[in-house]
Amino acid sequence: MTHQAVIVGAGFGGMGAAIQLKRLGIDDFVVLEREDDLGGTWHVNRYPGLAVDIASVTYSYSFEPNPWWSHWYARGPELKQYAVHVADRYDLRRHMRFGQVVEGATWDEAAQEWEVRVAGAEPVRGRYLITATGFLSQPRMPDIKGVHDFAGTVLHTARWDEAADLDGKRVAVIGTGATAVQLIPELARRAAHLTVFQRTPIWVTPKMDREMPRAVQRLFARVPATQRAARKVNTSVLELVMVAAVLHYRQWNLLNRGAAAIAKRHLARQVADPELRARLTPDYSFGCKRPTFSNDYYPAFTEPHVDLETSSIQRITPTGIVTADGRETEVDVLVLATGFDMWDANFPAISVVGRGGKDLGAWWRATRFQAYQGIAVPGFPNFLSLASPYSYSGLSYFTTIEGQMKHMDRLLSEVARRGASSFEVRDPANEEFLGWVTERLEDSVFSLGQCATARSYYFNQHGEAALLRPSSTINTHREAASFPVDDYEYA
Ligand code: NAP
């Protein structure tokens, strides 16, 4: 049996795609998910301190606002609850199959459909294939000598073990990305001694977080327009940071320097020791790598039982970490806040083979990472890739997914209008889009700022900043609703 569509991934991306299919009257689809429940990032990540760092009025579907967020910045479990609510509300759960590790998908030219291979199960067939495998979904183990020899407890933040005993232990954290920024204050509260191994400091700006007053929740519930207004204001501020300060650096570098100054003032207010402050200060331009927001990250380093280690790691032994200066820090628990492998393991997250045996991963690597409007690729009929190069728009993932939902709406409505059975983006349209993003990126901090020392996952193995769509979110949404339908071929 062939379904109308197969979606891979039951996170917010896959659920958005599923909602869009339903809006288009397509109900015969399955969502294959490798985990044992829905929610993607918010199901998998359970480390202490997990929260959103984009205000919740913005970090949610605009068409499904939640007036009841407990804080301006909701905590991790609330996001999982929200995902469950959305799945129930839109009747998505009956489409979902959990524990399905998708190995790959191949276009069947004769049948004009996709065959999706699932480990240990029968293949699933679909007319459309939509991959919603996320950007940060393949945990990265650090390539440090001896990492597998450590005899104590090892925890990767994306595979957290809630039963792990941290209280009164000597704990080491490797990494100082957005995850570590949330986790370190929590570990500092519990560990007897905490050593943070930092390779590259991160820009941290204040987080204006507080409990959501009951009166505001009620107001949002009774007068939804007020929450929509709050979303607009918040999204506009994020847009200024991301689009103006980062993507339009040439025109707005003053704003970029302003953001850096805010972060530096934040650090100065929270850390008195100039030597410690210097070690926590990035030497690359603001925005080269994703900045983060926190009020309790810097203060953690001023506690007597917390050390910042900036000497590079030489190797890991069964009992601790040896740095390049030959010192060994002995620890009981080793926390790997080492992030995710985006460019080697994630684009694409599964093998995708299109028309004439064209392998998506191989093609991206042999040419350039590219996707028309961050969603479609020539040679891959009836395929939409939500986690694509140049697809991430703005700072909140919901901006990206809602733009992609609009694109699906326009494209699949056109397929239906023409009575076609397949679509495929045309080469020239794809090339024009790639040219457009390449040109616009010349104005960004990635081209004009000092990013060489940032070690940012925004950059791929060829040194291209090929993740973010270099446009305003208004442009993203306008294009998604108005791209020339003839950019696709229909058959
Ligand atoms: P990340 O930003 O990639 O950070 C990984 C950290 O591990 C970096 O500090 C990196 O150092 C370090 N590292 C990796 N390999 C290492 C090695 N071999 N030796 C020493 N250090 C090593 O990952 P993340 O912190 O998990 O965050 C990923 C993204 O998730 C964020 O940027 C954000 O988009 C998202 N996130 C969002 C939220 C939220 O609230 N919305 C919260 C957490 C995360 P280098 O920088 O030197 O490579």
Side-chain angles (χ1 to χ4, degrees), residues 99-101 103 117-123:
Q100 305 293 300
V101 178
E103 291 174 335
R117 296 180 305 285
V118 182
E122 284 295 300

Side-chain angles (χ1 to χ4, degrees), residues 246-307:
V246 174
L247 297 173
H248 293 299
Y249 181 82
R250 188 188 298 279
Q251 300 82 353
W252 290 90
N253 69 71
L254 233 144
L255 206 70
N256 185 292
R257 276 187 266 143
I262 290 171
K264 277 191 181 156
R265 207 169 319 124
H266 186 46
L267 173 59
R269 265 204 297 263
Q270 296 195 312
V271 177
D273 174 2
E275 192 268 334
L276 177 59
R277 227 162 43 213
R279 290 193 294 143
L280 287 167
T281 305
D283 65 353
Y284 55 87
S285 306
F286 183 92
C288 289
K289 112 195 257 171
R290 187 185 182 281
T292 185
F293 314 87
S294 172
N295 302 329
D296 51 4
Y297 176 65
Y298 288 139
F301 293 98
T302 64
E303 300 208 27
H305 69 298
V306 178
D307 287 326

Side-chain angles (χ1 to χ4, degrees), residues 55-107:
S56 293
V57 284
T58 294
Y59 195 87
S60 44
Y61 295 110
S62 61
F63 55 84
E64 191 55 41
N66 171 18
W68 307 112
W69 298 117
S70 67
H71 292 74
W72 289 107
Y73 293 81
R75 308 315 192 231
E78 269 184 90
L79 266 293
K80 164 77 189 188
Q81 253 174 33
Y82 175 70
V84 169
H85 159 79
V86 172
D88 291 343
R89 175 85 202 267
Y90 293 86
D91 189 23
L92 304 180
R93 218 177 245 282
R94 71 186 165 84
H95 299 273
M96 294 177 178
R97 298 183 193 165
F98 300 112
Q100 305 293 300
V101 178
V102 174
E103 291 174 335
T106 304
W107 174 248

Side-chain angles (χ1 to χ4, degrees), residues 42 47 51-54 136 140 142-144 157 174-180 182 197 199-200 289-290 313 337-340 454-455 457:
W42 302 100
Y47 60 82
V52 295
D53 63 7
I54 301 295
L136 303 161
R140 191 219 318 261
D143 50 353
I144 300 172
T157 56
I174 300 178
T176 50
T179 299
Q182 296 185 333
F197 289 83
R199 188 163 65 181
T200 312
K289 112 195 257 171
R290 187 185 182 281
I313 298 174
T338 46
F340 303 87
R455 286 181 176 272
Y457 67 75

Side-chain angles (χ1 to χ4, degrees), residues 67-68 212-224 226:
W68 307 112
M212 192 73 90
R214 197 78 194 138
V216 174
Q217 292 177 332
R218 284 205 208 99
L219 181 69
F220 284 172
R222 280 198 203 126
V223 191
T226 55

Side-chain angles (χ1 to χ4, degrees), residues 318-389:
T319 51
I321 300 181
V322 179
T323 39
D325 52 13
R327 279 178 301 118
E328 175 166 7
T329 304
E330 293 200 342
V331 293
D332 308 304
V333 181
L334 176 59
V335 176
L336 305 174
T338 46
F340 303 87
D341 186 341
M342 179 133 47
W343 295 105
D344 288 322
N346 213 41
F347 276 151
I350 58 166
S351 146
V352 181
V353 177
R355 208 188 281 289
K358 184 173 177 181
D359 181 300
L360 182 59
W363 183 68
W364 271 342
R365 280 157 186 79
T367 57
R368 287 177 62 192
F369 285 88
Q370 54 195 289
Y372 169 74
Q373 296 288 347
I375 194 166
V377 191
F380 295 85
N382 288 6
F383 172 54
L384 297 173
S385 165
L386 305 192
S388 281

